[in-house]
mmCIF file of all heavy atoms in Angstrom:
data_model
loop_
_atom_site.group_PDB
_atom_site.id
_atom_site.type_symbol
_atom_site.label_atom_id
_atom_site.label_comp_id
_atom_site.label_asym_id
_atom_site.label_seq_id
_atom_site.Cartn_x
_atom_site.Cartn_y
_atom_site.Cartn_z
ATOM 1 N N ILE A 84 -57.862 26.918 22.917
ATOM 2 C CA ILE A 84 -58.368 25.526 22.970
ATOM 3 C C ILE A 84 -59.802 25.510 22.606
ATOM 4 O O ILE A 84 -60.366 24.753 21.779
ATOM 5 C CB ILE A 84 -58.158 24.946 24.470
ATOM 6 C CG1 ILE A 84 -56.690 24.651 24.693
ATOM 7 C CG2 ILE A 84 -59.075 23.685 24.621
ATOM 8 C CD1 ILE A 84 -56.467 24.141 26.143
ATOM 9 N N ALA A 85 -60.548 26.557 23.211
ATOM 10 C CA ALA A 85 -62.037 26.628 22.858
ATOM 11 C C ALA A 85 -62.264 26.819 21.295
ATOM 12 O O ALA A 85 -63.041 26.208 20.697
ATOM 13 C CB ALA A 85 -62.702 27.684 23.584
ATOM 14 N N GLY A 86 -61.416 27.727 20.793
ATOM 15 C CA GLY A 86 -61.442 28.009 19.310
ATOM 16 C C GLY A 86 -61.052 26.789 18.438
ATOM 17 O O GLY A 86 -61.569 26.479 17.400
ATOM 18 N N ALA A 87 -60.024 26.109 18.924
ATOM 19 C CA ALA A 87 -59.584 24.838 18.244
ATOM 20 C C ALA A 87 -60.628 23.788 18.160
ATOM 21 O O ALA A 87 -60.884 23.190 17.182
ATOM 22 C CB ALA A 87 -58.280 24.322 18.857
ATOM 23 N N LEU A 88 -61.412 23.661 19.260
ATOM 24 C CA LEU A 88 -62.490 22.682 19.270
ATOM 25 C C LEU A 88 -63.464 23.029 18.358
ATOM 26 O O LEU A 88 -64.104 22.111 17.667
ATOM 27 C CB LEU A 88 -62.939 22.491 20.804
ATOM 28 C CG LEU A 88 -62.079 21.781 21.740
ATOM 29 C CD1 LEU A 88 -62.765 21.701 23.078
ATOM 30 C CD2 LEU A 88 -61.795 20.369 21.224
ATOM 31 N N ASP A 89 -63.845 24.348 18.300
ATOM 32 C CA ASP A 89 -64.892 24.755 17.450
ATOM 33 C C ASP A 89 -64.369 24.444 15.956
ATOM 34 O O ASP A 89 -65.259 23.917 15.118
ATOM 35 C CB ASP A 89 -65.157 26.248 17.488
ATOM 36 C CG ASP A 89 -65.826 26.614 18.844
ATOM 37 O OD1 ASP A 89 -66.390 25.700 19.385
ATOM 38 O OD2 ASP A 89 -65.791 27.856 19.149
ATOM 39 N N ARG A 90 -63.164 24.484 15.680
ATOM 40 C CA ARG A 90 -62.696 24.355 14.285
ATOM 41 C C ARG A 90 -62.583 22.813 13.926
ATOM 42 O O ARG A 90 -62.589 22.399 12.763
ATOM 43 C CB ARG A 90 -61.258 24.875 14.148
ATOM 44 C CG ARG A 90 -61.360 26.404 13.963
ATOM 45 C CD ARG A 90 -59.957 27.030 14.063
ATOM 46 N NE ARG A 90 -60.094 28.463 13.876
ATOM 47 C CZ ARG A 90 -60.091 29.099 12.728
ATOM 48 N NH1 ARG A 90 -59.999 28.349 11.662
ATOM 49 N NH2 ARG A 90 -60.267 30.413 12.588
ATOM 50 N N LEU A 91 -62.492 22.050 15.004
ATOM 51 C CA LEU A 91 -62.413 20.505 14.827
ATOM 52 C C LEU A 91 -63.651 19.892 14.318
ATOM 53 O O LEU A 91 -63.714 18.803 13.831
ATOM 54 C CB LEU A 91 -61.905 19.798 16.066
ATOM 55 C CG LEU A 91 -60.421 19.945 16.268
ATOM 56 C CD1 LEU A 91 -60.052 19.304 17.704
ATOM 57 C CD2 LEU A 91 -59.532 19.285 15.243
ATOM 58 N N GLY A 92 -64.817 20.667 14.566
ATOM 59 C CA GLY A 92 -66.072 20.222 14.155
ATOM 60 C C GLY A 92 -66.401 18.895 14.766
ATOM 61 O O GLY A 92 -66.255 18.746 16.012
ATOM 62 N N PRO A 93 -66.924 17.916 13.965
ATOM 63 C CA PRO A 93 -67.414 16.668 14.629
ATOM 64 C C PRO A 93 -66.261 15.901 15.408
ATOM 65 O O PRO A 93 -66.590 15.171 16.258
ATOM 66 C CB PRO A 93 -67.852 15.787 13.345
ATOM 67 C CG PRO A 93 -68.071 16.740 12.253
ATOM 68 C CD PRO A 93 -67.065 17.929 12.548
ATOM 69 N N GLN A 94 -65.069 16.089 14.916
ATOM 70 C CA GLN A 94 -63.973 15.532 15.545
ATOM 71 C C GLN A 94 -63.833 15.777 17.035
ATOM 72 O O GLN A 94 -63.362 15.052 17.818
ATOM 73 C CB GLN A 94 -62.608 15.774 14.866
ATOM 74 C CG GLN A 94 -62.277 14.963 13.639
ATOM 75 C CD GLN A 94 -60.905 15.294 13.136
ATOM 76 O OE1 GLN A 94 -60.481 16.447 13.127
ATOM 77 N NE2 GLN A 94 -60.113 14.215 12.861
ATOM 78 N N ALA A 95 -64.250 17.084 17.380
ATOM 79 C CA ALA A 95 -64.222 17.519 18.736
ATOM 80 C C ALA A 95 -64.991 16.597 19.714
ATOM 81 O O ALA A 95 -64.594 16.633 20.954
ATOM 82 C CB ALA A 95 -64.735 18.918 18.822
ATOM 83 N N ALA A 96 -65.952 15.824 19.281
ATOM 84 C CA ALA A 96 -66.669 14.976 20.123
ATOM 85 C C ALA A 96 -65.820 13.935 20.766
ATOM 86 O O ALA A 96 -66.104 13.367 21.849
ATOM 87 C CB ALA A 96 -67.844 14.350 19.322
ATOM 88 N N HIS A 97 -64.712 13.698 20.095
ATOM 89 C CA HIS A 97 -63.762 12.615 20.637
ATOM 90 C C HIS A 97 -62.704 13.201 21.566
ATOM 91 O O HIS A 97 -61.689 12.524 22.030
ATOM 92 C CB HIS A 97 -63.107 11.935 19.460
ATOM 93 C CG HIS A 97 -63.949 11.324 18.580
ATOM 94 N ND1 HIS A 97 -64.608 10.148 18.777
ATOM 95 C CD2 HIS A 97 -64.441 11.834 17.317
ATOM 96 C CE1 HIS A 97 -65.384 9.864 17.705
ATOM 97 N NE2 HIS A 97 -65.302 10.853 16.769
ATOM 98 N N VAL A 98 -62.800 14.573 21.710
ATOM 99 C CA VAL A 98 -61.683 15.295 22.447
ATOM 100 C C VAL A 98 -62.302 15.993 23.741
ATOM 101 O O VAL A 98 -63.219 16.687 23.583
ATOM 102 C CB VAL A 98 -61.013 16.287 21.586
ATOM 103 C CG1 VAL A 98 -59.917 17.040 22.277
ATOM 104 C CG2 VAL A 98 -60.507 15.656 20.276
ATOM 105 N N GLN A 99 -61.649 15.689 24.761
ATOM 106 C CA GLN A 99 -62.057 16.362 26.117
ATOM 107 C C GLN A 99 -60.892 17.166 26.579
ATOM 108 O O GLN A 99 -59.843 16.657 27.004
ATOM 109 C CB GLN A 99 -62.329 15.197 27.186
ATOM 110 C CG GLN A 99 -62.666 15.729 28.517
ATOM 111 C CD GLN A 99 -63.931 16.615 28.584
ATOM 112 O OE1 GLN A 99 -64.985 16.040 28.178
ATOM 113 N NE2 GLN A 99 -63.799 17.823 28.907
ATOM 114 N N PRO A 100 -61.092 18.484 26.568
ATOM 115 C CA PRO A 100 -60.057 19.379 27.219
ATOM 116 C C PRO A 100 -60.167 19.347 28.735
ATOM 117 O O PRO A 100 -61.272 19.311 29.297
ATOM 118 C CB PRO A 100 -60.393 20.768 26.724
ATOM 119 C CG PRO A 100 -61.522 20.638 25.878
ATOM 120 C CD PRO A 100 -62.210 19.324 25.989
ATOM 121 N N VAL A 101 -59.059 19.264 29.374
ATOM 122 C CA VAL A 101 -59.123 19.142 30.940
ATOM 123 C C VAL A 101 -58.102 20.205 31.404
ATOM 124 O O VAL A 101 -56.923 20.371 30.980
ATOM 125 C CB VAL A 101 -58.569 17.835 31.292
ATOM 126 C CG1 VAL A 101 -58.606 17.672 32.911
ATOM 127 C CG2 VAL A 101 -59.330 16.627 30.748
ATOM 128 N N PHE A 102 -58.644 21.150 32.261
ATOM 129 C CA PHE A 102 -57.864 22.190 32.895
ATOM 130 C C PHE A 102 -57.666 21.760 34.301
ATOM 131 O O PHE A 102 -58.642 21.602 35.121
ATOM 132 C CB PHE A 102 -58.652 23.503 32.806
ATOM 133 C CG PHE A 102 -58.009 24.671 33.532
ATOM 134 C CD1 PHE A 102 -56.920 25.214 32.941
ATOM 135 C CD2 PHE A 102 -58.475 25.087 34.730
ATOM 136 C CE1 PHE A 102 -56.253 26.367 33.613
ATOM 137 C CE2 PHE A 102 -57.864 26.263 35.381
ATOM 138 C CZ PHE A 102 -56.820 26.844 34.802
ATOM 139 N N ILE A 103 -56.357 21.665 34.664
ATOM 140 C CA ILE A 103 -56.104 21.220 36.144
ATOM 141 C C ILE A 103 -55.344 22.436 36.699
ATOM 142 O O ILE A 103 -54.332 22.826 36.197
ATOM 143 C CB ILE A 103 -55.202 20.014 36.159
ATOM 144 C CG1 ILE A 103 -55.939 18.856 35.402
ATOM 145 C CG2 ILE A 103 -54.809 19.669 37.577
ATOM 146 C CD1 ILE A 103 -55.025 17.491 35.378
ATOM 147 N N THR A 104 -55.893 22.947 37.819
ATOM 148 C CA THR A 104 -55.250 24.035 38.606
ATOM 149 C C THR A 104 -54.050 23.556 39.268
ATOM 150 O O THR A 104 -53.903 22.471 39.768
ATOM 151 C CB THR A 104 -56.206 24.674 39.549
ATOM 152 O OG1 THR A 104 -55.483 25.827 40.155
ATOM 153 C CG2 THR A 104 -56.637 23.820 40.674
ATOM 154 N N VAL A 105 -53.061 24.428 39.259
ATOM 155 C CA VAL A 105 -51.771 24.253 40.036
ATOM 156 C C VAL A 105 -51.897 25.135 41.325
ATOM 157 O O VAL A 105 -50.828 25.214 42.042
ATOM 158 C CB VAL A 105 -50.513 24.552 39.290
ATOM 159 C CG1 VAL A 105 -50.371 23.562 38.071
ATOM 160 C CG2 VAL A 105 -50.522 25.993 38.696
#
Side-chain angles (χ1 to χ4, degrees):
Chain A
I84 289 176
L88 285 180
D89 289 344
R90 285 169 180 275
L91 281 173
Q94 277 188 312
H97 305 281
V98 182
Q99 175 63 60
V101 183
F102 175 75
I103 301 177
T104 181
V105 293

